[in-house]
Amino acid sequence: MLKLLQSCMAGTFFCQKKYILTMMTFFAIFNQYTMRICLHLAITVMTGDRNETVSGVTIADEDHFDWDEHQQGVILSAFYWGYTVSHFASALVADQYSKHLLGLSVLVTAILTLLTPLAIDVGGAWALVAVRVLEGIGEGATFPVLSALVAHWIPASERGFYGSFIFSGCQIGALVGGIGTGYFIAAHETWRTTFYIWGVLAVVWYVLWLFIGFESPETHPYIDERERAELAERLAESKKSAHMLPIPWRRIFSSCPLWGLIAGQIGHDWGTYLIITDLPKYMKSILHISVADNGLVSYAPFFTMWLFSIVGGWLCDLQIRKQCSSRTNARKLWTTLGSLLPAFFMMAASYTGNDKTLVITFFALCVTFLGGFYPGVKVNSNDLSPNFAGVLMAMVNGIGAITGILTPYIAGLLTPNQTLEEWRVVFWIAFGVLNVTNIIFILFASGEIQPWNYPPAPEQQQQQQQGSS
């Protein structure tokens, strides 16, 4: 019965299986981000004044909590404690068990999201912290696994577009999750509903993934033989060996292009996590925007970020194919656009005062141009080493995720009174991080496959063994 259902579901798709893989992985990140960010908006009503209507919504008294800014910073950063650790743990298995690891990553996060209201009722703030840490552990495998799947399915000449599209599930997830969360809270006058809705949708994705998700063209039982042969030929250039390869840890850790990529990822994550985590609080405190409108103005710009990343990915591939620039320079160009422009517009917004139109416009431009990171930094681990793309993504995204711990915590410490002057300091720090990390990326990054991507020849292995003996 299971095989019949799987065959029917797979047979209903007449397009290439590469496209199905692309859409399913896109929605994997989409679901992860709706579950990740819903708390960022919900906490603005969970911690409101008990004696007044909070952000335009009347919330039951038992759903209010006296968490100060420091406690809120700890709660919002807790997710990234587990997220960072899980990245490094998944590095060892991301390339070999990508299908099941991705499925479990989404399922675990979904179950914990569904249990979030119960955890708060039972254990308050610290129970919420514990749940968020576990959610982070659940989501930590997502990016390493997706990077491995891109390496298994997408030829190098198409990774700018397809990689940008898949990873842009972050933006659409933030867009739909943010706006939807604001709407659900306003419509139901409770923050609880939003956790149930996003959790159930993620469980639905998991059931579909069990039947139509596969690790590679070689393991897909229903792929057309012509597509399988074409992908095998186009992927052969970078994936020279089909057997499991020893991970060249020493050469990886001593690779300058890798550390340039890590710097670029830190800049991307600092800017993005600051926006995703703390912009709703800024909009509430400084502009006094209602919760429904807050979800719209804080997260709607992620749609234009998505468009910019997709168009940027297409243009990046085009400029490489037409030899307008090398792959290395193309990655540096788009990363620079994703660094300098958001830094400028973020600071412009903080010096605009309480002019809602200008502040919202500048933040929208800031978020939009963050999309330049996707054809730049996000696909760069596949450039450096298709054979170890999952390992590299685990390292790069794991180190970058530390900024998810720092940004909400620092914002909470620096904005105890939620004044414009306090927030301006937070944005100046982000301005510096974005610019410094971009300079490091420009100096050290590369878009070329590194020598350690390939297994050493037998005679080289013999020489290495003799040298170590």
Side-chain angles (χ1 to χ4, degrees):
M1 184 67 183
L2 182 63
K3 290 184 177 179
L4 177 63
L5 179 59
Q6 188 179 48
S7 178
C8 291
M9 292 184 70
T12 57
F13 295 96
F14 296 99
C15 62
Q16 292 188 33
K17 300 303 183 286
K18 177 178 71 175
Y19 300 150
I20 298 173
L21 186 281
T22 299
M23 292 306 301
M24 288 300 294
T25 49
F26 168 88
F27 280 110
I29 306 183
F30 170 91
N31 279 293
Q32 296 284 47
Y33 261 71
T34 59
M35 294 185 289
R36 183 190 303 193
I37 64 95
C38 60
L39 178 64
H40 302 160
L41 191 58
I43 202 169
T44 65
V45 299
M46 295 166 72
T47 58
D49 191 329
R50 293 176 182 270
N51 300 316
E52 297 178 5
T53 299
V54 180
S55 299
V57 179
T58 303
I59 302 294
D61 186 67
E62 60 268 21
D63 286 342
H64 287 284
F65 304 95
D66 295 320
W67 302 332
D68 61 26
E69 293 300 324
H70 177 261
Q71 287 177 297
Q72 292 177 50
V74 171
I75 290 168
L76 293 175
S77 70
F79 173 92
Y80 298 96
W81 305 350
Y83 188 66
T84 301
V85 173
S86 183
H87 267 79
F88 297 111
S90 64
L92 301 174
V93 293
D95 288 290
Q96 284 78 42
Y97 306 104
S98 48
K99 172 182 177 174
H100 297 297
L101 200 55
L102 181 61
L104 285 174
S105 177
V106 175
L107 180 63
V108 167
T109 312
I111 293 172
L112 290 166
T113 300
L114 290 168
L115 292 175
T116 297
L118 176 62
I120 296 173
D121 289 339
V122 172
W126 291 112
L128 177 57
V129 167
V131 168
R132 293 293 286 182
V133 170
L134 293 174
E135 282 189 35
I137 293 173
E139 281 201 28
T142 303
F143 277 91
V145 169
L146 289 175
S147 190
L149 288 169
V150 168
H152 294 163
W153 280 91
I154 310 299
S157 61
E158 298 176 349
R159 283 182 191 143
F161 174 78
Y162 283 99
S164 295
F165 180 83
I166 290 170
F167 292 121
S168 71
C170 303
Q171 295 116 52
I172 301 302
L175 166 72
V176 176
I179 295 176
T181 296
Y183 171 78
F184 298 144
I185 292 174
H188 302 117
E189 296 194 334
T190 176
W191 47 264
R192 297 172 183 271
T193 309
T194 185
F195 294 97
Y196 301 138
I197 292 172
W198 302 131
V200 167
L201 288 176
V203 171
V204 171
W205 176 92
Y206 172 74
V207 173
L208 289 174
W209 178 249
L210 286 177
F211 296 114
I212 62 176
F214 295 94
E215 291 175 349
S216 66
E218 291 82 7
T219 60
H220 201 305
Y222 310 113
I223 190 172
D224 183 83
E225 287 302 322
R226 288 173 297 179
E227 183 185 2
R228 194 197 308 271
E230 179 190 355
L231 288 173
E233 180 183 355
R234 298 181 66 190
L235 290 165
E237 176 188 352
S238 56
K239 295 185 73 67
K240 296 292 186 183
S241 177
H243 65 273
M244 291 178 63
L245 304 175
I247 300 172
W249 289 112
R250 183 180 62 81
R251 301 179 72 191
I252 287 175
F253 279 112
S254 61
S255 172
C256 286
L258 173 63
W259 289 104
L261 172 57
I262 289 172
Q265 182 71 36
I266 289 171
H268 164 267
D269 285 355
W270 194 286
T272 303
Y273 291 149
L274 178 62
I275 294 293
I276 288 177
T277 306
D278 290 298
L279 189 58
K281 293 175 67 177
Y282 180 89
M283 293 295 183
K284 174 194 171 186
S285 302
I286 305 301
L287 299 186
H288 309 293
I289 293 177
S290 69
V291 66
D293 291 340
N294 198 340
L296 183 64
V297 300
S298 294
Y299 295 109
F302 282 89
F303 178 72
T304 52
M305 181 184 180
W306 175 72
L307 288 177
F308 186 69
S309 68
I310 296 302
V311 173
W314 176 77
L315 288 174
C316 185
D317 284 344
L318 184 64
Q319 71 187 97
I320 294 170
R321 280 200 307 271
K322 298 293 185 182
Q323 298 183 337
C324 299
S325 71
S326 66
R327 183 175 280 108
T328 297
N329 288 335
R331 300 291 184 240
K332 291 179 179 180
L333 170 64
W334 288 97
T335 299
T336 299
L337 292 175
S339 300
L340 300 187
L341 294 176
F344 170 79
F345 286 115
M346 185 184 298
M347 291 312 305
S350 72
Y351 281 93
T352 310
N354 296 322
D355 188 324
K356 290 186 179 181
T357 302
L358 277 178
V359 170
I360 292 170
T361 299
F362 284 141
F363 273 122
L365 290 170
C366 169
V367 174
T368 297
F369 288 114
L370 280 169
F373 277 105
Y374 287 82
V377 161
K378 280 297 184 183
V379 296
N380 191 225
S381 59
N382 294 90
D383 296 328
L384 300 181
S385 179
N387 279 323
F388 303 110
V391 173
L392 295 195
M393 180 59 82
M395 291 176 57
V396 172
N397 221 50
I399 293 174
I402 295 173
T403 65
I405 300 173
L406 296 176
T407 52
Y409 185 75
I410 290 173
L413 286 179
L414 295 178
T415 59
N417 303 306
Q418 292 289 299
T419 65
L420 182 58
E421 290 74 19
E422 291 173 344
W423 276 105
R424 194 171 290 150
V425 175
V426 174
F427 295 134
W428 268 116
I429 294 173
F431 181 90
V433 172
L434 283 163
N435 282 281
V436 170
T437 54
N438 181 61
I439 291 171
I440 297 173
F441 185 81
I442 290 173
L443 291 175
F444 297 108
S446 172
E448 305 305 319
I449 295 177
Q450 300 301 294
W452 41 265
N453 175 68
Y454 305 111
E459 58 271 16
Q460 290 177 309
Q461 287 181 326
Q462 216 168 32
Q463 290 172 2
Q464 289 174 0
Q465 289 171 356
Q466 290 173 354
S468 61
S469 61

